[in-house]
Amino acid sequence: MSFSVPACTLCPRRCGVYRGDSPSKGYCGMPALPTAARAAVHRGEEPCISGSTDGPLVAGGGSGTIFFSGCTLACVYCQNAAISRQKSGRTISIDRLADIFRELTDQGVYNINLVSPTPYIPAILKALEKYRPPVPLVYNTGGYERVETLRLLDGVIDVYLPDLKYKDAALSSRFSHAADYFEYASAAILEMARQTGPFVLDDRGVAIRGTLVRHLVLPGHTRSSLEVLDWMKAHLPRGVWVSLLSQYTPLQPIENAPELNRRITRREYDKVVDHLLELGLTNGYVQERDSADSRYIPAFDLTGIEN
């Protein structure tokens, strides 16, 4: 099946390039058809998304997660670099993507979790016309989104799971090659919250609607984290949840950012957690300090992608 995006402006890069069956010349470098590296049950998300390690969700089906290849950011510390920067994965048809939705649903998952889906929104919408899963649809993103693009998803996405990485333009430029990251991410998150309204759980504690904003604490940059939390307190609508993450794991030396070549310390994380609590941002999750390890990085081995 041939499919194209004639002049792509889906993400804030707005490359304006033609994206067809082959890798494109745009920033993401990806074709218009979905390219993915894994589609499987995943339990590395927040408890309301993938199930908890105890309590009523322990026997649940986890999150039916599809890891798409390519990314609109270029984070120097990316923990999914194999698919975001190296672009491993396989290009599939829209019919195959619809089949993957169905196959994951048949495994009893709590939701269908679309990870880094921005370059493929038109194809995803086409696949959903063929099969709309009877479980919540989760949009899992680094936060670098255009409001105009998100409006294509109004009434389609049930749960938004965006990052808010930084407020400072110098940091976002240095670490993610996007000086305008906060400008776009902050507006995108407010649009997500408008679409979904307050966070809602079912009687099992599974998220069925709402927006959950994640922030990963980086070593040596607690001041940046405090600025992000201050913005959340001042601007996030009531009912938006927050997830504070400690899982940063250095996978290889980063020459231009040596401070990132270690895990965060307990003192650093406790400082950010204390500020979160002082601000009253208590709806959501605080990750355990010892959660930083490679278990959050799945094998991008085409599981569930091929027939």
Side-chain angles (χ1 to χ4, degrees), residues 2 33 39 65 82 86 88 95 104 114 159 182 188 218 222 234 293 301:
S2 181
L33 282 172
T65 307
Q86 299 166 21
S88 63
D95 286 342
L104 289 172
L114 309 172
V159 178
F182 179 74
L218 295 175
T222 56
D293 61 44
D301 55 4

Side-chain angles (χ1 to χ4, degrees), residues 170-238:
L171 276 187
S172 63
S173 178
R174 183 180 172 213
F175 292 162
S176 296
H177 300 91
D180 56 1
Y181 173 84
F182 179 74
E183 173 190 345
Y184 281 98
S186 58
I189 287 169
L190 295 178
E191 170 63 16
M192 294 171 186
R194 183 197 68 78
Q195 290 183 20
T196 62
F199 211 71
V200 179
L201 306 177
D202 67 11
D203 56 6
R204 301 169 300 170
V206 174
I208 57 175
R209 190 162 182 83
T211 298
L212 173 61
V213 183
R214 290 168 160 171
H215 176 70
L216 176 67
V217 181
L218 295 175
H221 292 285
T222 56
R223 180 176 296 180
S224 172
S225 292
L226 302 187
E227 290 176 350
V228 168
L229 294 180
D230 286 341
W231 182 88
M232 290 183 182
K233 175 62 177 179
H235 297 281
L236 288 184
R238 186 183 301 273

